[in-house]
Amino acid sequence: RYLSTEISLGQYPGGAFTTGPDHGGLVPTSDGAGEVVAVGEGVDGCAIGDRVHSLFSEAWVSGPAQEKDWPTTIGSHVQGCLTQYRIFPANFCLPVPEHLSYEQAAAIPCAGITAFNVLFNHGSTTPDSTVLVLGSGGVSVLGAQFAKAAGARVIATTSSPDKASKYKALGVDHVINYRDTPNWADEVKKLTGGLGVDQVFEIGGKGTLMEAIRAIKPGGVVHVISVPPEVATTSINELAMALLLKQGKLNGVLVGGRDVGQRLDSFISKHKITPLVDSKVFEWKGAKEAFGYLQSGAHFGKVVIKVD
Amino acid sequence: RYLSTEISLGQYPGGAFTTGPDHGGLVPTSDGAGEVVAVGEGVDGCAIGDRVHSLFSEAWVSGPAQEKDWPTTIGSHVQGCLTQYRIFPANFCLPVPEHLSYEQAAAIPCAGITAFNVLFNHGSTTPDSTVLVLGSGGVSVLGAQFAKAAGARVIATTSSPDKASKYKALGVDHVINYRDTPNWADEVKKLTGGLGVDQVFEIGGKGTLMEAIRAIKPGGVVHVISVPPEVATTSINELAMALLLKQGKLNGVLVGGRDVGQRLDSFISKHKITPLVDSKVFEWKGAKEAFGYLQSGAHFGKVVIKVD
């Protein structure tokens, strides 16, 4: 069977228990997809041979994550998915949308649920709205794909002309090179008639938070999805003032529960979306190499490891 | 006739043109209420003798303030209300709710519209929700009154036992003394079964922003209404991380447009709310004293100046 995974170690702020709650080693990676090879007694709605994918947590049903949901976070608090066999609660894996391969389905859980949660729970994404995604990590690329499927206008930033072309191939309307245009909020405003965008996917680059606030329209939302460890020179007072003048929102988003996963899969099936998987797919033995590739930033879309 | 005013000079971040756009002196105060003594030709829906109150801006109709709305901000960009006579666009003053005096009505516009906007546009205030208001300025006290009228549970902070009694008399459920309990978020959590509140009115005291984020429940909202000029020692990265872990929202709120004012007046009439006016009402000649009184922080509720 297959088990393909997103590698998100150290990327979310819940803390990573690298030695695991059992004080043994912890199998890494948050996301996976594969075939059901055994079903427990009395389990309904799940059969041997079913194609399924994981979720972010094995307890998070809906709404914001509560404290009780944290101890079952896959790949950081309980065993991850980089393994041939793994036992899941039947309620906490979902059927893979029919048109997707395991590699593509493995790109869904963490980044896809986050991006969907941002656009359709926390935000209001309509054909007359504009979404700005920063960089080309999994959440941004999937966010761009989902926003385009919903008919919105999408602007992306990247430092690479090659990645800009890939964004364009996904239907993204405008790509700004943030190296050439460090004050990219000005360019975003130019592209939106001086107004700014409705939503930003703030992924946490150097100095991006204040620039993201500059890039929204009055009443717009900056979704804070990830934060860099570095200390910024801006004070929280300056940030609060900028937010106040924009009447803007900063919105902390941490993935989403099972209900968001279910809605996402329906959306993906309805719009026949193929989550973009990086052209390099690694073998199980190449897992270390895969982590290094992810850290190098050379990827575009999700990095997948195929487990035989 | 009466003209009563809220004094909000220097308290909002749009900048105060103290010399006025006409390069002359600018009449201060944002809010006022009084009697219509003359009506322009062709003006409908407004008659001599009507009791009316002002709004924050003479152009802001609805939604977030746009750039075009700023140049007509009363008391900072155009002449304020501390005057016997003033010409208003007929559309930008509203009828005073019948049960209110001019003094009480003058307490509505800026602070009341802000508080209403927070609770019923930006937030969702229901009988099963909890609202935390910080300090006892106009927005906080009116916010507490409106939230109680909507059936919500309300917690307030203050440093004064006398003000605590006044909050209790308004029906506020719990009052925390922030001098005795500097880590008041812990107390807020105790009072909410360990969970935290749905909404906070963040008025911008020293160190309050991070404590406010600590006080919300997962998915809760901190409404940023005012920001202190001091530089905080917390970095914006720490703030963003705290927000992310709480899946919380920071929400910049700047008063509201005419539509919010209209909904507020209906709400006030329906619930027969009497905006709390401080026990000291000043005469026109005592205006300077009134400003000093406001700055001293001794007031509870709105400070009003009565113009003969």
Side-chain angles (χ1 to χ4, degrees), chain B residues 197-282:
Chain B
V197 298
D198 297 271
Q199 301 179 66
V200 183
F201 279 61
E202 163 61 45
I203 308 295
K206 191 174 174 183
T208 52
L209 190 48
M210 289 299 282
E211 197 69 5
I213 294 173
R214 288 215 308 127
I216 53 170
K217 72 177 192 186
V221 190
V222 175
H223 301 282
V224 177
I225 296 161
S226 181
V227 178
E230 70 197 273
V231 174
T233 50
T234 314
S235 74
I236 63 170
N237 303 77
E238 288 171 272
L239 178 128
M241 186 60 87
L243 199 67
L244 187 53
L245 283 170
K246 266 290 169 64
Q247 301 148 83
K249 295 181 202 342
L250 282 194
N251 181 35
V253 186
L254 278 178
V255 204
R258 186 180 59 201
D259 69 328
V260 185
Q262 285 168 325
R263 288 172 56 205
L264 167 61
D265 287 348
S266 297
F267 182 86
I268 285 177
S269 295
K270 182 185 162 194
H271 293 281
K272 291 279 174 291
I273 295 168
T274 307
L276 198 89
V277 173
D278 188 82
S279 48
K280 266 195 176 177
V281 170
F282 294 81

Side-chain angles (χ1 to χ4, degrees), chain A residues 130 153 155 174 185-197 215 217-218, chain B residues 66-67:
Chain A
T130 303
R153 193 175 173 209
I155 304 172
H174 303 281
D186 294 334
E187 186 63 23
V188 169
K189 278 188 191 165
K190 264 186 221 159
L191 291 167
T192 52
L195 197 64
V197 298
K217 72 178 192 185
Chain B
Q66 306 293 324
E67 271 183 41

Side-chain angles (χ1 to χ4, degrees), chain A:
Chain A
R1 78 184 185 116
Y2 288 93
L3 235 181
S4 321
T5 56
E6 185 227 3
I7 299 154
S8 67
L9 277 181
Q11 282 195 345
Y12 82 97
F17 297 168
T18 49
T19 56
D22 59 355
H23 303 290
L26 192 70
V27 173
T29 79
S30 166
D31 301 0
E35 187 186 322
V36 175
V37 295
V39 177
E41 264 181 57
V43 170
D44 281 337
C46 188
I48 291 175
D50 281 359
R51 301 178 343 127
V52 295
H53 69 76
S54 65
L55 289 164
F56 178 68
S57 148
E58 293 178 347
W60 187 355
V61 177
S62 65
Q66 305 294 324
E67 272 184 40
K68 67 165 182 53
D69 302 326
W70 286 106
T72 60
T73 305
I74 293 177
S76 65
H77 294 67
V78 297
Q79 300 298 345
C81 291
L82 187 61
T83 172
Q84 273 186 303
Y85 301 99
R86 188 187 185 287
I87 298 166
F88 289 90
N91 284 338
F92 286 90
C93 51
L94 292 177
V96 167
E98 273 188 30
H99 68 289
L100 298 188
S101 69
Y102 285 126
E103 286 86 347
Q104 290 160 346
I108 294 178
C110 194
I113 291 173
T114 304
F116 192 84
N117 204 6
V118 160
L119 292 169
F120 303 104
N121 277 337
H122 292 274
S124 166
T125 306
T126 57
D128 61 352
S129 69
T130 303
V131 176
L132 169 65
V133 298
L134 304 186
S136 55
V139 178
S140 293
V141 174
L142 285 164
Q145 289 185 277
F146 301 161
K148 283 312 299 176
R153 193 175 173 209
V154 176
I155 304 172
T157 66
T158 181
S159 62
S160 142
D162 178 50
K163 288 178 179 175
S165 306
K166 286 175 179 163
Y167 257 134
K168 287 281 189 181
L170 289 177
V172 163
D173 301 271
H174 303 281
V175 183
I176 302 169
N177 188 314
Y178 64 78
R179 290 246 169 84
D180 302 341
T181 312
N183 301 325
W184 38 264
D186 294 334
E187 186 63 23
V188 169
K189 278 188 191 165
K190 264 186 221 159
L191 291 167
T192 52
L195 197 64
V197 298
D198 297 272
Q199 302 179 67
V200 183
F201 279 62
E202 163 61 45
I203 308 295
K206 192 174 175 181
T208 51
L209 191 46
M210 288 298 283
E211 197 70 6
I213 294 173
R214 287 216 307 129
I216 53 172
K217 72 178 192 185
V221 190
V222 175
H223 300 283
V224 177
I225 296 160
S226 181
V227 178
E230 72 199 89
V231 175
T233 49
T234 314
S235 74
I236 63 171
N237 303 76
E238 289 172 271
L239 178 129
M241 186 61 87
L243 200 65
L244 187 54
L245 283 170
K246 265 290 170 66
Q247 302 148 81
K249 295 178 199 349
L250 281 195
N251 181 35
V253 186
L254 278 178
V255 202
R258 187 181 58 204
D259 68 328
V260 185
Q262 286 167 327
R263 288 172 57 206
L264 167 63
D265 287 349
S266 297
F267 182 87
I268 284 177
S269 295
K270 183 185 163 195
H271 293 281
K272 291 281 172 293
I273 294 168
T274 306
L276 198 89
V277 174
D278 188 83
S279 50
K280 263 195 174 178
V281 171
F282 293 82
E283 296 298 314
W284 195 2
K285 283 184 180 170
K288 273 194 173 176
E289 199 190 330
F291 280 77
Y293 181 61
L294 188 66
Q295 282 172 339
S296 77
H299 62 293
F300 187 86
K302 302 294 293 176
V303 175
V304 172
I305 304 171
K306 200 168 144 180
V307 181
D308 287 325

